[in-house]
Amino acid sequence: MSPSAHVTPLQRVSDTEAAAWHQVVAASTAHDLPGVPAPHPGHIHAQLTQPALGSRRLAWLATAADGAPVGVAGLRLFTSTGQRHLAELELHVDPGHRRLGTGTLLLSAVVAACRAEGRRSLVATAAADSPGEAFSERHGFRRVLALDHLLLDVARADDAAADAEHPGYELACWTGTVPDDLAEAFAAAKNAMNDMPMGDMDYGSQTWTADRVRAMAEVLADRGDVLLTTAALCKGEMAGYTEIVIRAGETRRALQYDTVVVPAHRGHGLGLWVKAEMVRRLRAEQPGIVEIETDNAQDNTHMLAVNRQLGFRFHRSTHEHQLDLPTT
């Protein structure tokens, strides 16, 4: 069947285009992931209009003959040294307009942009056994990483580890941008994320500096998100930390961002310590938040064990897929 949609690249995304984008994503999410909340309209608007950290964004909107939005594609082009080979795809088609070639049209536009930008790897996330996974595999993507998504009931979480003794270590907590006296130590700790399990994904590496961690916090603040960080300190070093983000407009669910323990400080229970303390912070500072969502690579057995000890329960699985693109 010939494609019935028209694909338009979006330049400066208007309020109307952002609303159309949200309409497609909400319909796609409700169909493919029952029970999973769609992103808030304000989050979609900020994602499409606000600058990102270490990347820039291209976007396309597919419309039917009557002008109704039927599909969207977003392409994140990484710009940091160590990741300039990489692009990340988000693609949704309204369930009522699938099997008409809309997704293929959008993907063609994305692949052309990747080639023009000299990207060798295009990655996309799809729920396990979902229409998105089947679409990815039909179009030549290969599965490179399996993730388990977990949910924690904040009220019922086991936070006893927050009371554990850790001689030589102390906790530090902040909201938003890292305090100046911790910025360099925080950047050094963030660089430990480069050894997290990434399966067969051609992910590359990131380099964090004090300026970059400040910039990340600014990006989230500009979107209206709340960033909470709890860290373990040891003799001027940051031994580990955990981050939670509450997106703009969100009233129930927080998202787990990084949890890191620096290699030299592993084996002392610091990851569980900072995460348990974060649970207590959420209860005290954000009483409306009732659950935390996290995801872990299925082979990250240590962090999965830490999360289960806190009370996280399995929610769903997703797979990262990668399309390898020829480069000249």
Side-chain angles (χ1 to χ4, degrees):
M1 184 176 295
S2 60
S4 60
H6 177 70
V7 172
T8 303
L10 303 181
Q11 303 302 325
R12 294 190 176 182
V13 178
S14 67
D15 291 350
T16 300
E17 290 165 339
W21 188 290
H22 180 264
Q23 178 182 323
V24 172
V25 173
S28 173
T29 302
H31 181 272
D32 297 343
L33 299 170
V36 174
H40 187 274
H43 174 73
I44 293 286
H45 187 276
Q47 182 184 41
L48 293 171
T49 60
Q50 295 291 330
L53 178 68
S55 65
R56 55 191 176 87
R57 187 178 181 87
L58 303 178
W60 295 262
L61 176 66
T63 51
D66 62 359
V70 296
V72 296
L75 182 65
R76 184 183 179 194
L77 295 164
F78 291 82
T79 56
S80 300
T81 301
Q83 291 191 305
R84 290 175 184 157
H85 63 283
L86 185 65
E88 185 177 55
L89 169 66
E90 177 187 5
L91 191 152
H92 296 272
V93 176
D94 186 287
H97 294 268
R98 293 177 180 175
R99 302 288 182 178
L100 300 173
T102 302
T104 300
L105 270 180
L106 287 164
L107 181 59
S108 295
V110 166
V111 169
C114 285
R115 288 177 170 150
E117 294 282 346
R119 305 297 159 135
R120 70 169 185 253
S121 300
L122 175 63
V123 296
T125 304
D129 303 318
S130 68
E133 179 157 83
F135 174 87
S136 298
E137 292 172 352
R138 283 199 307 272
H139 287 83
F141 287 76
R142 58 188 177 89
R143 189 185 303 178
V144 291
L145 182 66
L147 299 165
D148 280 350
H149 292 245
L150 312 174
L151 285 178
L152 178 67
D153 182 331
V154 173
R156 301 177 68 179
D158 182 355
D159 64 355
D163 296 322
E165 294 290 333
H166 293 278
Y169 294 94
E170 61 179 335
L171 291 171
C173 302
W174 65 89
T175 300
T177 305
V178 61
D180 286 344
D181 62 332
L182 295 177
E184 293 289 349
F186 189 33
K190 269 195 169 289
N191 284 315
M193 283 292 291
N194 284 320
D195 71 356
M196 66 181 175
M198 294 302 298
D200 295 326
M201 189 187 301
D202 184 17
Y203 189 72
S205 62
Q206 302 183 66
T207 301
W208 290 91
T209 63
D211 286 342
R212 190 163 192 248
V213 296
R214 293 186 186 103
M216 183 199 74
E218 290 172 7
V219 166
L220 293 173
D222 288 344
R223 293 178 184 172
D225 297 348
V226 175
L227 171 63
L228 304 175
T229 308
T230 296
L233 308 179
C234 178
K235 298 178 181 177
E237 293 183 2
M238 190 168 294
Y241 67 89
T242 190
E243 296 171 316
I244 288 286
V245 169
I246 304 168
R247 287 179 171 173
E250 182 58 69
T251 58
R252 298 186 75 257
R253 181 177 293 185
L255 299 179
Q256 178 74 63
Y257 269 37
D258 294 351
T259 298
V260 174
V261 177
V262 173
H265 296 275
R266 291 174 185 170
H268 303 294
L270 299 182
L272 182 60
W273 189 36
V274 294
K275 287 172 75 77
E277 181 64 27
M278 179 64 82
V279 168
R280 292 189 176 177
R281 279 192 71 190
L282 276 178
R283 289 173 181 160
E285 299 175 19
Q286 303 286 338
I289 296 299
V290 298
E291 61 187 12
I292 302 170
E293 180 177 359
T294 190
D295 62 75
N296 300 118
Q298 288 179 357
D299 59 357
N300 190 353
T301 54
H302 175 74
M303 191 54 67
L304 285 167
V306 167
N307 284 330
R308 289 184 182 122
Q309 188 168 341
L310 281 165
F312 278 90
R313 66 189 187 279
F314 178 80
H315 177 43
R316 60 191 179 95
S317 293
T318 60
H319 295 142
E320 296 284 346
H321 297 80
Q322 181 172 303
L323 182 65
D324 301 316
L325 300 171
T327 57
T328 56

